[in-house]
Amino acid sequence: GAVVSQHPSRVICKSGTSVKIECRSLDFQATTMFWYRQFPKQSLMLMATSNEGSKATYEQGVEKDKFLINHASLTLSTLTVTSAHPEDSSFYICSARLLQGGKAFFGQGTRLTVV
Amino acid sequence: DAKTTQPPSMDCAEGRAANLPCNHSTISGNEYVYWYRQIHSQGPQYIIHGLKNNETNEMASLIITEDRKSSTLILPHATLRDTAVYYCIVRDAFFGNEKLTFGTGTRLTIIP
């Protein structure tokens, strides 16, 4: 199946700093990518929908100025957690959908720990 | 709104068939049923999807009832590596960019 690569897989940062997470579709083009967050023992919660060449659409309750999303090409979307705090520590997962067909493929996730 | 209902957990003996049920009583005619699974600390993995016919691939079979209000994912010969959380999701087929909304899923444990 199609491959979605996320980088880094694990990151530890100091409180107040910013962290960038990359999501790449390796063998297909994705006009839309999705960013999810998952806290321990909970399900995936959609944060935002990232559209190539336009502004991301954020879910209710997600601060767009804190979670900056850029989708500059058909194969790359980035999520930047700005001024990270310990409560932002979570598992962040991206997803990309093939231009044709309904299947969505997920990255391996990024474990963010803010200390 | 929760569009699907799944049991929170299930056990299955290794080598036996694992049957995971899902209720989606409010499903509309345009909506597909998708199944994903998430092994601990990994991103979700696509398993299978269907509209109204039963489907089979190398991973699993999907049985959808005639009224489409429920479905069953079947792992024919479960192995220890099938231990994961399984998510049943319904999604509109005509809006290609519509997001996938995850419920709480079923935690499947394969017993040696």
XYZ file of all heavy atoms in Angstrom, chain A residues 5-111:
835
model
N 5.189 8.833 5.574
C 6.323 8.859 6.492
C 6.252 10.086 7.366
O 6.042 11.203 6.889
C 7.628 8.861 5.696
O 8.751 8.975 6.560
N 6.450 9.886 8.651
C 6.422 10.977 9.609
C 7.781 11.099 10.268
O 8.431 10.091 10.576
C 5.374 10.667 10.696
C 4.430 11.788 10.998
C 3.371 11.404 11.991
O 2.559 10.513 11.751
N 3.363 12.088 13.118
N 8.184 12.344 10.505
C 9.491 12.560 11.120
C 9.448 13.786 12.013
O 8.861 14.800 11.629
C 10.554 12.763 10.026
C 11.913 13.032 10.569
N 12.735 12.039 11.041
C 12.590 14.190 10.758
C 13.857 12.565 11.477
N 13.797 13.873 11.307
N 9.982 13.745 13.218
C 10.659 12.580 13.818
C 9.643 11.611 14.421
O 8.471 11.928 14.549
C 11.505 13.231 14.915
C 10.690 14.412 15.339
C 10.033 14.926 14.093
N 10.089 10.456 14.813
C 9.197 9.503 15.444
C 9.067 9.787 16.942
O 8.075 9.409 17.572
C 9.699 8.070 15.235
O 11.004 7.936 15.751
N 10.088 10.462 17.456
C 10.078 10.749 18.885
C 10.860 12.039 19.110
O 11.914 12.235 18.508
C 10.756 9.606 19.625
C 10.569 9.543 21.097
C 11.258 8.298 21.647
N 10.549 7.087 21.282
C 9.604 6.513 22.030
N 9.268 7.062 23.180
N 9.030 5.410 21.646
N 10.328 12.930 19.928
C 11.036 14.176 20.211
C 10.730 14.626 21.628
O 9.594 14.510 22.107
C 10.670 15.276 19.181
C 9.173 15.564 19.181
C 11.458 16.543 19.421
N 11.783 15.119 22.278
C 11.652 15.708 23.607
C 12.085 17.158 23.496
O 13.142 17.447 22.933
C 12.527 14.970 24.638
C 12.115 13.496 24.719
C 12.425 15.632 26.010
C 13.044 12.645 25.567
N 11.282 18.067 23.992
C 11.654 19.473 23.905
C 11.356 20.171 25.225
O 10.592 19.669 26.054
C 10.904 20.172 22.764
S 9.157 20.438 23.066
N 11.976 21.310 25.372
C 11.781 22.094 26.590
C 10.520 22.940 26.465
O 10.147 23.393 25.369
C 12.987 22.991 26.839
C 14.240 22.240 27.247
C 15.359 23.218 27.601
C 16.597 22.461 28.066
N 17.695 23.403 28.422
N 9.911 23.171 27.588
C 8.712 23.997 27.627
C 9.017 25.383 27.067
O 10.066 25.974 27.373
C 8.224 24.097 29.071
O 6.985 24.749 29.137
N 8.159 25.872 26.202
C 8.332 27.187 25.609
C 8.958 27.173 24.229
O 8.924 28.183 23.512
N 9.525 26.065 23.844
C 10.130 25.970 22.509
C 9.104 25.454 21.508
O 8.000 25.046 21.871
C 11.348 25.043 22.529
O 10.932 23.726 22.905
C 12.394 25.535 23.519
N 9.489 25.485 20.237
C 8.604 25.017 19.163
C 9.160 23.745 18.539
O 10.378 23.545 18.491
C 8.459 26.098 18.094
O 7.817 27.230 18.620
N 8.273 22.913 18.082
C 8.650 21.630 17.477
C 7.928 21.475 16.154
O 6.714 21.719 16.080
C 8.267 20.453 18.406
C 8.530 19.133 17.719
C 9.030 20.548 19.704
N 8.662 21.070 15.130
C 8.064 20.844 13.811
C 8.035 19.345 13.510
O 9.025 18.644 13.674
C 8.848 21.561 12.724
C 8.260 21.358 11.324
C 9.110 21.979 10.234
C 8.952 23.462 10.178
N 9.635 24.044 8.998
N 6.891 18.889 13.049
C 6.708 17.495 12.659
C 6.381 17.462 11.174
O 5.516 18.203 10.707
C 5.570 16.842 13.465
C 5.845 16.927 14.960
C 5.384 15.385 13.046
C 4.657 16.538 15.826
N 7.078 16.591 10.442
C 6.861 16.488 9.008
C 6.062 15.241 8.660
O 6.233 14.185 9.275
C 8.205 16.422 8.276
C 8.992 17.701 8.296
C 10.215 17.614 7.397
O 10.544 16.499 6.929
O 10.839 18.663 7.164
N 5.247 15.380 7.645
C 4.461 14.256 7.143
C 4.605 14.222 5.630
O 4.258 15.202 4.954
C 2.990 14.419 7.539
S 1.904 13.107 6.947
N 5.120 13.123 5.117
C 5.349 13.007 3.674
C 4.613 11.803 3.105
O 4.642 10.719 3.691
C 6.838 12.840 3.373
C 7.682 14.043 3.698
C 9.149 13.801 3.368
N 9.973 14.927 3.781
C 10.214 15.987 3.047
N 9.693 16.075 1.834
N 10.958 16.976 3.496
N 3.986 12.000 1.961
C 3.456 10.869 1.211
C 4.551 10.484 0.213
O 4.929 11.273 -0.634
C 2.154 11.251 0.490
O 2.328 12.394 -0.325
N 5.060 9.272 0.352
C 6.279 8.898 -0.368
C 6.033 8.475 -1.811
O 6.891 8.678 -2.661
C 7.004 7.785 0.383
C 7.556 8.160 1.762
C 8.375 7.014 2.331
C 8.371 9.436 1.716
N 4.918 7.864 -2.094
C 4.739 7.331 -3.435
C 3.397 7.718 -4.046
O 2.927 7.074 -4.978
C 4.892 5.811 -3.431
C 4.049 5.157 -2.359
O 3.333 5.877 -1.626
O 4.092 3.925 -2.247
N 2.806 8.777 -3.524
C 1.572 9.265 -4.116
C 1.390 10.733 -3.753
O 2.038 11.247 -2.852
C 0.362 8.448 -3.654
C 0.024 8.596 -2.195
C -0.996 9.446 -1.775
C 0.722 7.887 -1.229
C -1.311 9.578 -0.430
C 0.416 8.014 0.127
C -0.605 8.852 0.524
N 0.520 11.386 -4.469
C 0.244 12.793 -4.198
C -1.029 12.920 -3.380
O -2.010 12.238 -3.643
C 0.095 13.554 -5.519
C 1.387 13.627 -6.312
C 1.229 14.416 -7.592
O 0.173 14.417 -8.203
N 2.285 15.100 -7.991
N -0.979 13.784 -2.406
C -2.117 13.949 -1.511
C -2.497 15.424 -1.424
O -1.745 16.225 -0.882
C -1.779 13.423 -0.115
N -3.643 15.770 -1.971
C -4.088 17.153 -1.856
C -4.545 17.458 -0.432
O -4.552 18.610 -0.033
C -5.246 17.445 -2.820
O -6.287 16.494 -2.579
C -4.793 17.359 -4.260
N -4.912 16.424 0.295
C -5.395 16.632 1.653
C -4.682 15.705 2.621
O -4.552 14.517 2.362
C -6.915 16.376 1.746
O -7.589 17.225 0.822
C -7.426 16.662 3.150
N -4.214 16.283 3.692
C -3.641 15.510 4.787
C -4.361 15.891 6.070
O -4.909 16.997 6.182
C -2.143 15.773 4.917
C -1.325 15.231 3.750
S 0.460 15.451 4.023
C 1.130 14.639 2.585
N -4.367 14.991 7.004
C -5.069 15.190 8.268
C -4.082 15.030 9.426
O -3.190 14.179 9.377
C -6.191 14.165 8.420
C -7.175 14.162 7.279
C -6.964 13.368 6.171
C -8.314 14.949 7.323
C -7.862 13.353 5.115
C -9.221 14.944 6.277
C -8.992 14.150 5.172
N -4.270 15.826 10.445
C -3.442 15.721 11.646
C -4.311 15.329 12.832
O -5.356 15.949 13.092
C -2.730 17.045 11.929
C -1.617 17.311 10.966
C -1.668 18.046 9.821
C -0.276 16.812 11.068
N -0.442 18.042 9.191
C 0.429 17.300 9.937
C 0.406 16.019 11.991
C 1.778 17.010 9.715
C 1.742 15.730 11.771
C 2.409 16.223 10.645
N -3.845 14.297 13.539
C -4.554 13.785 14.695
C -3.650 13.875 15.926
O -2.416 13.897 15.821
C -4.936 12.313 14.499
C -5.957 12.047 13.421
C -5.574 11.959 12.077
C -7.298 11.843 13.728
C -6.510 11.697 11.080
C -8.242 11.573 12.745
C -7.839 11.502 11.432
O -8.761 11.234 10.451
N -4.292 13.849 17.073
C -3.565 13.792 18.343
C -4.194 12.670 19.160
O -5.425 12.483 19.128
C -3.682 15.135 19.076
C -2.982 15.196 20.409
C -2.908 16.622 20.919
N -4.208 17.271 20.976
C -4.381 18.532 21.358
N -3.346 19.263 21.707
N -5.581 19.049 21.381
N -3.354 11.957 19.875
C -3.857 10.840 20.674
C -3.200 10.860 22.044
O -1.975 10.725 22.155
C -3.585 9.511 19.964
C -4.191 8.305 20.654
C -3.980 7.028 19.856
O -2.973 6.859 19.193
N -4.947 6.116 19.931
N -4.015 11.001 23.079
C -3.526 10.920 24.453
C -3.595 9.470 24.898
O -4.337 8.660 24.334
C -4.344 11.834 25.354
C -4.125 13.301 25.065
C -5.107 14.051 24.435
C -2.927 13.921 25.391
C -4.903 15.398 24.154
C -2.714 15.255 25.111
C -3.702 15.996 24.480
N -2.825 9.129 25.934
C -2.754 7.721 26.373
C -4.131 7.129 26.642
O -4.985 7.751 27.267
C -1.916 7.807 27.643
C -1.055 9.001 27.446
C -1.901 9.986 26.696
N -4.327 5.934 26.102
C -5.543 5.152 26.300
C -6.785 5.837 25.744
O -7.907 5.528 26.176
C -5.730 4.811 27.782
C -4.586 3.981 28.340
C -4.888 3.423 29.719
C -3.732 2.550 30.186
N -3.957 1.941 31.486
N -6.599 6.766 24.835
C -7.725 7.417 24.171
C -7.653 7.189 22.671
O -6.657 6.710 22.145
C -7.732 8.923 24.480
C -7.979 9.247 25.934
C -8.122 10.731 26.178
O -8.472 11.493 25.266
N -7.873 11.158 27.402
N -8.739 7.528 22.010
C -8.785 7.365 20.561
C -8.110 8.546 19.873
O -7.711 9.513 20.510
C -10.241 7.247 20.109
O -10.300 6.945 18.728
N -7.985 8.454 18.564
C -7.416 9.553 17.804
C -8.433 10.686 17.705
O -9.603 10.453 17.418
C -7.068 9.105 16.378
C -5.834 8.241 16.178
C -6.090 6.802 16.582
C -5.372 8.311 14.740
N -7.941 11.894 17.929
C -8.795 13.068 17.812
C -8.267 13.927 16.668
O -7.102 14.324 16.672
C -8.799 13.874 19.110
C -9.384 13.128 20.285
S -11.118 12.689 20.034
C -11.852 14.310 19.951
N -9.130 14.220 15.711
C -8.715 15.041 14.596
C -8.454 16.462 15.058
O -9.278 17.064 15.753
C -9.795 15.039 13.512
C -9.480 15.849 12.251
C -8.339 15.189 11.474
C -10.726 15.957 11.371
N -7.304 16.992 14.652
C -6.958 18.369 14.989
C -7.287 19.306 13.830
O -7.865 20.377 14.023
C -5.472 18.496 15.294
C -4.993 17.667 16.468
S -3.218 17.765 16.641
C -3.015 19.487 17.086
N -6.864 18.905 12.633
C -7.015 19.813 11.496
C -6.896 19.046 10.198
O -6.323 17.954 10.141
C -5.951 20.902 11.552
N -7.458 19.647 9.174
C -7.353 19.136 7.813
C -6.469 20.085 7.030
O -6.719 21.307 7.009
C -8.746 19.050 7.174
O -9.564 18.187 7.970
C -8.663 18.512 5.756
N -5.457 19.531 6.408
C -4.443 20.326 5.728
C -4.635 20.209 4.223
O -4.580 19.126 3.674
C -3.062 19.786 6.131
O -2.048 20.261 5.300
N -4.889 21.325 3.578
C -5.122 21.344 2.143
C -3.952 21.992 1.419
O -3.520 23.090 1.782
C -6.406 22.111 1.821
C -7.620 21.458 2.449
O -7.958 20.327 2.125
N -8.264 22.153 3.361
N -3.454 21.331 0.406
C -2.316 21.837 -0.339
C -2.618 23.182 -0.947
O -3.633 23.357 -1.629
C -1.926 20.821 -1.415
C -0.654 21.165 -2.169
C -0.908 21.914 -3.457
O -2.011 21.789 -4.013
O 0.000 22.625 -3.917
N -1.776 24.155 -0.655
C -1.911 25.473 -1.241
C -2.934 26.374 -0.602
O -3.147 27.497 -1.073
N -3.556 25.933 0.470
C -4.529 26.803 1.140
C -4.434 26.625 2.656
O -3.680 25.789 3.148
C -5.947 26.503 0.645
O -6.315 25.188 0.989
N -5.209 27.424 3.352
C -5.141 27.377 4.815
C -5.775 26.094 5.342
O -6.746 25.586 4.780
C -5.868 28.584 5.406
C -5.164 29.907 5.171
C -5.907 31.044 5.859
C -5.177 32.361 5.649
N -5.903 33.486 6.303
N -5.243 25.640 6.443
C -5.791 24.439 7.072
C -7.123 24.749 7.741
O -7.396 25.881 8.129
C -4.803 23.897 8.093
N -7.913 23.719 7.870
C -9.190 23.819 8.575
C -9.039 23.134 9.920
O -8.734 21.943 9.977
C -10.305 23.138 7.769
O -10.393 23.733 6.474
C -11.639 23.278 8.495
N -9.271 23.883 10.990
C -9.056 23.360 12.332
C -10.374 22.904 12.964
O -11.426 23.506 12.733
C -8.407 24.431 13.214
C -6.976 24.724 12.843
C -6.672 25.575 11.778
C -5.924 24.137 13.540
C -5.350 25.833 11.423
C -4.608 24.392 13.193
C -4.330 25.238 12.131
O -3.022 25.484 11.777
N -10.271 21.860 13.752
C -11.438 21.397 14.488
C -11.703 22.327 15.670
O -10.812 23.053 16.146
C -11.214 19.978 14.987
C -11.085 18.959 13.864
C -12.333 18.852 13.017
O -13.412 18.544 13.578
O -12.234 19.068 11.787
N -12.928 22.290 16.125
C -13.318 23.147 17.239
C -12.460 22.857 18.457
O -12.231 21.692 18.803
C -14.790 22.907 17.571
C -15.395 23.911 18.524
C -16.893 23.723 18.676
O -17.449 22.715 18.229
N -17.548 24.672 19.291
N -11.971 23.913 19.059
C -11.172 23.766 20.265
C -9.676 23.643 20.013
O -8.898 23.634 20.969
N -9.263 23.566 18.760
C -7.837 23.479 18.442
C -7.346 24.863 18.048
O -7.895 25.496 17.144
C -7.592 22.484 17.293
C -6.109 22.444 16.934
C -8.098 21.103 17.668
N -6.322 25.342 18.750
C -5.821 26.700 18.512
C -4.951 26.749 17.265
O -3.865 26.160 17.217
C -4.995 27.145 19.715
C -5.754 27.189 21.033
C -4.805 27.538 22.174
O -4.175 28.604 22.107
O -4.679 26.728 23.111
N -5.385 27.488 16.283
C -4.634 27.526 15.028
C -3.323 28.283 15.156
O -2.382 28.029 14.389
C -5.476 28.129 13.913
C -5.881 29.560 14.122
C -6.709 30.009 12.934
C -7.098 31.391 13.189
N -7.367 32.392 13.117
N -3.234 29.184 16.122
C -1.978 29.918 16.299
C -0.961 29.104 17.073
O 0.220 29.438 17.073
C -2.234 31.235 17.032
C -3.076 32.179 16.191
O -2.981 32.104 14.944
O -3.836 32.974 16.770
N -1.419 28.071 17.737
C -0.499 27.220 18.487
C -0.041 26.040 17.638
O 1.104 25.621 17.725
C -1.176 26.709 19.755
C -0.283 25.810 20.569
C -0.870 25.537 21.921
C 0.080 24.670 22.718
N 1.354 25.350 22.978
N -0.926 25.530 16.841
C -0.612 24.385 15.992
C -0.625 24.862 14.541
O -1.660 24.874 13.876
C -1.614 23.257 16.216
C -1.632 22.727 17.621
C -2.598 23.150 18.526
C -0.676 21.821 18.048
C -2.618 22.657 19.823
C -0.676 21.333 19.345
C -1.644 21.757 20.239
N 0.564 25.250 14.075
C 0.685 25.812 12.729
C 0.844 24.692 11.710
O 1.712 23.834 11.861
C 1.893 26.757 12.667
C 1.871 27.941 13.633
C 3.134 28.768 13.471
C 0.640 28.803 13.411
N 0.027 24.727 10.691
C 0.075 23.703 9.667
C 0.398 24.342 8.327
O -0.203 25.340 7.936
C -1.257 22.939 9.595
C -1.447 22.104 10.862
C -1.313 22.041 8.351
C -2.798 21.457 10.991
N 1.350 23.731 7.645
C 1.736 24.179 6.317
C 1.701 22.989 5.370
O 2.228 21.927 5.680
C 3.147 24.787 6.356
C 3.557 25.322 4.997
O 4.012 24.582 4.132
N 3.376 26.612 4.804
N 1.067 23.166 4.227
C 0.960 22.084 3.245
C 1.392 22.661 1.903
O 0.574 22.967 1.054
C -0.485 21.598 3.206
C -0.675 20.314 2.462
N -1.798 19.524 2.648
C 0.076 19.672 1.563
C -1.720 18.464 1.875
N -0.599 18.535 1.211
N 2.709 22.791 1.756
C 3.258 23.541 0.626
C 3.316 22.746 -0.662
O 3.411 23.318 -1.741
C 4.650 24.035 0.988
N 3.272 21.429 -0.562
C 3.345 20.619 -1.780
C 2.400 19.440 -1.645
O 1.820 19.198 -0.588
C 4.773 20.126 -2.012
O 5.079 19.052 -1.150
N 2.263 18.695 -2.728
C 1.345 17.561 -2.732
C 1.883 16.359 -1.965
O 1.189 15.354 -1.829
C 1.026 17.147 -4.174
C 0.100 18.091 -4.934
C 0.017 17.675 -6.393
C -1.294 18.114 -4.319
N 3.102 16.464 -1.471
C 3.679 15.332 -0.747
C 4.175 15.690 0.640
O 4.723 14.835 1.330
C 4.850 14.723 -1.550
O 5.853 15.733 -1.741
C 4.383 14.189 -2.889
N 3.987 16.925 1.073
C 4.536 17.325 2.365
C 3.589 18.258 3.114
O 3.137 19.260 2.584
C 5.884 18.018 2.189
C 6.512 18.624 3.455
C 6.852 17.532 4.462
C 7.753 19.434 3.095
N 3.322 17.893 4.359
C 2.609 18.772 5.277
C 3.397 18.806 6.574
O 3.988 17.798 6.966
C 1.192 18.261 5.544
O 0.527 19.060 6.506
N 3.440 19.974 7.207
C 4.142 20.084 8.482
C 3.218 20.641 9.553
O 2.349 21.464 9.267
C 5.380 20.991 8.374
O 4.969 22.311 7.980
C 6.382 20.446 7.374
N 3.431 20.148 10.756
C 2.721 20.636 11.939
C 3.759 21.187 12.895
O 4.696 20.470 13.262
C 1.940 19.494 12.613
C 1.392 19.779 14.009
C 0.284 20.815 13.959
C 0.872 18.491 14.650
N 3.623 22.447 13.252
C 4.528 23.053 14.223
C 3.767 23.352 15.496
O 2.773 24.093 15.471
C 5.155 24.349 13.669
O 5.859 24.062 12.462
C 6.119 24.965 14.681
N 4.240 22.771 16.589
C 3.668 23.052 17.899
C 4.473 24.203 18.473
O 5.666 24.053 18.776
C 3.743 21.824 18.816
C 3.084 22.121 20.160
C 3.090 20.620 18.153
N 3.852 25.350 18.586
C 4.568 26.535 19.045
C 4.425 26.705 20.548
O 3.396 26.339 21.141
C 4.036 27.796 18.344
O 2.659 27.979 18.710
C 4.152 27.675 16.841
N 5.485 27.236 21.164
C 5.482 27.479 22.604
C 4.896 26.271 23.344
O 3.888 26.372 24.050
C 4.682 28.744 22.924
O 4.804 29.078 24.287
N 5.549 25.145 23.143
C 5.017 23.895 23.685
C 5.005 23.899 25.209
O 5.895 24.452 25.862
C 5.844 22.726 23.166
N 3.976 23.270 25.754
C 3.852 23.098 27.190
C 3.680 21.617 27.503
O 3.334 20.829 26.611
C 2.652 23.895 27.718
C 2.861 25.365 27.689
N 2.299 26.173 26.725
C 3.594 26.180 28.499
C 2.672 27.424 26.940
N 3.444 27.453 27.994
N 3.919 21.226 28.743
C 3.801 19.793 29.071
C 2.455 19.183 28.673
O 2.411 18.003 28.303
C 4.005 19.784 30.591
C 4.929 20.938 30.837
C 4.492 22.001 29.851
N 1.383 19.955 28.723
C 0.079 19.395 28.344
C -0.044 19.129 26.845
O -1.011 18.493 26.407
C -1.053 20.319 28.799
C -0.962 21.734 28.294
C -0.293 22.657 29.292
O 0.601 22.205 30.049
O -0.663 23.850 29.304
N 0.932 19.614 26.064
C 0.950 19.302 24.631
C 1.614 17.953 24.363
O 1.621 17.478 23.207
C 1.702 20.383 23.854
C 1.033 21.739 23.955
O -0.221 21.776 23.977
O 1.752 22.759 24.045
N 2.180 17.365 25.390
C 2.796 16.049 25.237
C 1.725 15.062 24.789
O 0.680 14.919 25.433
C 3.410 15.579 26.549
O 4.445 16.458 26.965
N 1.991 14.400 23.672
C 0.985 13.519 23.093
C 1.602 12.751 21.936
O 2.770 12.933 21.594
C -0.218 14.354 22.594
O -1.292 13.535 22.194
N 0.795 11.906 21.327
C 1.169 11.166 20.124
C 0.476 11.851 18.957
O -0.754 11.915 18.928
C 0.717 9.714 20.292
C 1.276 8.747 19.288
C 2.635 8.670 19.051
C 0.436 7.882 18.598
C 3.155 7.759 18.141
C 0.951 6.966 17.684
C 2.306 6.912 17.457
N 1.259 12.393 18.037
C 0.699 13.120 16.891
C 0.817 12.247 15.649
O 1.888 11.700 15.358
C 1.430 14.449 16.690
C 1.161 15.441 17.807
C 1.925 15.421 18.978
C 0.133 16.369 17.711
C 1.664 16.307 20.009
C -0.134 17.252 18.739
C 0.639 17.222 19.886
O 0.372 18.099 20.913
N -0.266 12.132 14.915
C -0.312 11.225 13.760
C -0.865 11.979 12.558
O -1.858 12.700 12.670
C -1.218 10.016 14.047
C -0.807 9.315 15.343
C -1.189 9.022 12.886
C -1.840 8.338 15.858
N -0.216 11.791 11.411
C -0.744 12.393 10.199
C -1.326 11.301 9.297
O -1.014 10.123 9.435
C 0.320 13.183 9.453
S 1.562 12.165 8.650
N -2.164 11.736 8.393
C -2.804 10.832 7.458
C -2.918 11.520 6.115
O -3.093 12.735 6.040
C -4.201 10.465 7.978
O -4.952 9.788 7.004
N -2.822 10.753 5.058
C -2.956 11.293 3.706
C -3.854 10.382 2.896
O -3.828 9.160 3.054
C -1.590 11.410 3.045
N -4.655 11.008 2.041
C -5.573 10.215 1.212
C -5.137 10.293 -0.232
O -4.732 11.337 -0.720
C -6.999 10.733 1.377
C -7.994 9.992 0.509
C -9.414 10.290 0.912
N -9.730 9.648 2.181
C -10.150 10.298 3.254
N -10.294 11.606 3.228
N -10.426 9.658 4.351
N -5.225 9.179 -0.912
C -4.928 9.147 -2.330
C -5.875 10.084 -3.080
O -7.013 10.254 -2.705
C -5.104 7.728 -2.873
C -4.098 6.670 -2.410
C -4.572 5.283 -2.769
C -2.741 6.942 -3.019
N -5.359 10.666 -4.124
C -6.205 11.548 -4.917
C -7.442 10.813 -5.419
O -8.539 11.326 -5.437
C -5.431 12.116 -6.107
C -4.369 13.169 -5.775
C -3.620 13.575 -7.036
C -5.012 14.388 -5.143
N -7.244 9.572 -5.820
C -8.371 8.784 -6.300
C -8.523 7.574 -5.390
O -7.558 6.971 -5.005
C -8.130 8.331 -7.729
C -8.076 9.483 -8.726
C -7.847 8.989 -10.143
O -7.509 7.839 -10.343
N -8.027 9.866 -11.096
N -9.708 7.275 -5.030
C -9.927 6.172 -4.093
C -10.067 6.694 -2.688
O -9.580 7.759 -2.350
N -10.745 5.927 -1.836
C -11.069 6.461 -0.530
C -10.140 6.112 0.598
O -10.298 6.595 1.690
N -9.135 5.276 0.341
C -8.304 4.828 1.458
C -7.412 5.944 1.966
O -6.831 6.696 1.197
C -7.449 3.644 1.033
C -8.235 2.350 0.877
C -7.325 1.188 0.563
C -6.905 1.182 -0.886
N -6.194 -0.052 -1.244
N -7.315 6.032 3.272
C -6.375 6.957 3.900
C -5.254 6.137 4.518
O -5.473 5.056 5.052
C -7.065 7.785 4.975
N -4.047 6.672 4.425
C -2.886 5.992 4.989
C -2.271 6.880 6.052
O -2.287 8.109 5.940
C -1.875 5.670 3.884
C -2.422 4.698 2.875
C -3.066 5.152 1.745
C -2.311 3.334 3.082
C -3.601 4.261 0.818
C -2.840 2.424 2.160
C -3.485 2.900 1.024
N -1.762 6.246 7.080
C -1.291 6.966 8.250
C 0.224 6.851 8.399
O 0.822 5.825 8.054
C -1.958 6.411 9.511
C -3.411 6.770 9.605
C -4.362 6.060 8.895
C -3.825 7.825 10.397
C -5.707 6.396 8.962
C -5.162 8.163 10.487
C -6.105 7.452 9.765
N 0.789 7.924 8.950
C 2.185 7.868 9.338
C 2.347 7.046 10.596
O 1.367 6.627 11.220
N 3.599 6.842 10.973
C 3.875 5.999 12.140
C 3.709 6.744 13.446
O 3.796 6.140 14.511
C 5.285 5.410 12.039
C 6.408 6.426 12.198
C 6.847 7.018 10.860
O 6.045 7.320 9.996
N 8.150 7.164 10.709
N 3.464 8.057 13.356
C 3.227 8.828 14.567
C 4.493 9.452 15.124
O 5.607 8.986 14.880
N 4.305 10.533 15.869
C 5.402 11.231 16.542
C 5.048 11.372 18.013
O 4.010 11.954 18.360
C 5.622 12.634 15.940
O 6.004 12.513 14.576
C 6.691 13.398 16.721
N 5.902 10.832 18.846
C 5.688 10.944 20.294
C 6.380 12.209 20.772
O 7.604 12.298 20.746
C 6.282 9.729 21.004
C 6.245 9.782 22.519
C 4.907 9.419 23.078
N 4.424 8.116 22.614
C 3.163 7.716 22.744
N 2.269 8.511 23.297
N 2.807 6.529 22.318
